[in-house]
Amino acid sequence: MKIVFAGAGAVGCHYGSRLIQAGFDVLLLARGEHLTALQQHGLKHQSDGACKQIPVQATADIEQLNRCKIVILCCKMTALSQMLASLQHILHPEALILTLQNGVEAPDMAASAFPDHAVATGTAFIGARIEAPGYVVHSAAGGLRMGLWQLGRGAQHLPWLIQACRDAAIPIRQDDDPAALLWRKLLWNCGFNAITAITRRYASDMAANSETVAIVRQAMQETVAVGHALGIAIGAEDIEKHIDITLTMGPVKTSMWQDIEAGRRTEVDYINGYVASQAEAMQLPAAANRMLASLIHAIEAAPDKK
Ligand SMILES: NC(=O)c1ccc[n+]([C@@H]2O[C@H](COP(=O)([O-])OP(=O)(O)OC[C@H]3O[C@@H](n4cnc5c(N)ncnc54)[C@H](OP(=O)(O)O)[C@@H]3O)[C@@H](O)[C@H]2O)c1
């Protein structure tokens, strides 16, 4: 069964590489200089202390996705609407769609774009980055958790995909409550992602400093309150777990920090911005999330944002 990683950057190339090395049939949908490098030289993949050059099938031709029964959407949230629009009338009728974006909106977006297809959603617990075109570095963790979001044609492919990941030595768990899974990750991102991009300091530093951890905690408390109001099973205990784990984390640059350094638009509108707008609609407090989103917007708008 052919698996496509649609928007194969850091996350897609890492997991794609693992599956290719285990013998699975994988297509990488990519673009720009990164695609050219993948097509000309294969993928340079640094992971677990080894650097390998992996031959890959890579394309920008969306039509080629019509042969794929597993479609893993791994572009950023900022590119997801356009990606979903481009897949209309292309997807195999029995394709399973899996979203791996940060934030909590991706599976609903995929489900409304493809109401007859099965949609699964998951979270990548990983540190990975595109170091240079065609060169992906996996720097931390690497687990996947996922669950079914929308029943439909292709749902039978989810257990197959999970087994394929196991065969490829990807740590993976199926989750019965994927909404809570996404919200727990959102909770960490609301607390730590923007603040590390603003200060250019590691998340462990933010957790260890009494002034910054107070901001982290406030952003997370607001997120829990919004989640509760939406019926999501997250709680205050998740905040302290996240802070405790973050204190032990190594020097990993968060995605917003990397995006700011690269002069790219960040995903803040899908993280702190999402919580702030949901809170506003429900008349809940969201001062910390609104402040973090505003500061990231200001950095994004600066002429020399790097
Ligand atoms: N990297 C991590 O460590 C990590 C960890 C956990 C979760 N995540 C989440 O996973 C998602 C993916 O992150 P990532 O770090 O893998 O992003 P990334 O490295 O930027 O990869 C996304 C790739 O998709 C490409 N793309 C976007 N639209 C496309 C299209 N229509 N056709 C072909 N290629 C397209 C992008 O190209 P352009 O650069 O030209 O736009 C980019 O190369 C995000 O939501 C992120 O928050 C990432």
Side-chain angles (χ1 to χ4, degrees), residues 102-150:
N102 271 334
V104 297
E105 296 168 276
D108 277 339
M109 288 167 66
S112 68
F114 293 95
D116 296 328
H117 283 75
V119 175
T121 191
T123 290
F125 294 93
I126 190 171
R129 63 182 186 275
I130 299 180
E131 183 72 13
Y135 177 18
V136 166
V137 175
H138 162 219
S139 55
L144 280 176
R145 286 177 71 173
M146 60 183 69
L148 195 60
W149 189 265
Q150 170 173 278

Side-chain angles (χ1 to χ4, degrees), residues 266-285:
T266 72
E267 294 181 302
V268 74
D269 289 340
Y270 305 94
I271 298 175
N272 307 95
Y274 170 79
V275 170
S277 65
Q278 291 292 315
E280 202 168 305
M282 295 185 279
Q283 298 183 320
L284 290 169

Side-chain angles (χ1 to χ4, degrees), residues 284-301:
L284 290 169
N289 280 286
R290 200 171 298 113
M291 175 195 68
L292 291 166
S294 302
L295 292 174
I296 292 289
H297 289 154
I299 297 170
E300 286 173 331

Side-chain angles (χ1 to χ4, degrees), residues 7-11 29-31 34 74-77 79 83 100-102 124 126-128 130 185 267:
V11 167
L29 181 78
R31 64 184 177 190
H34 181 55
C74 49
C75 58
K76 291 252 168 84
M77 278 305 292
M83 176 69 80
L100 282 184
Q101 285 69 26
N102 271 334
I126 190 171
I130 299 180
K185 183 85 182 289
E267 294 181 302

Side-chain angles (χ1 to χ4, degrees), residues 173-240:
R173 266 171 61 188
Q174 187 159 3
D175 210 289
D176 293 336
D177 188 353
L181 171 69
L182 296 189
W183 273 82
R184 264 184 231 111
K185 183 85 182 289
L186 178 73
L187 189 61
W188 191 91
N189 278 314
C190 283
F192 286 105
N193 209 330
I195 202 169
T196 58
I198 294 161
T199 59
R200 316 281 170 105
R201 300 283 307 276
Y202 296 115
S204 52
D205 298 326
M206 298 295 95
N209 177 300
S210 62
E211 288 178 317
T212 51
V213 81
I215 298 171
V216 166
R217 215 175 244 118
Q218 188 183 336
M220 287 185 170
Q221 284 161 350
E222 293 166 3
T223 305
V224 167
V226 171
H228 273 173
L230 294 171
I232 306 296
I234 55 168
E237 66 284 359
D238 292 310
I239 297 177
E240 297 313 315

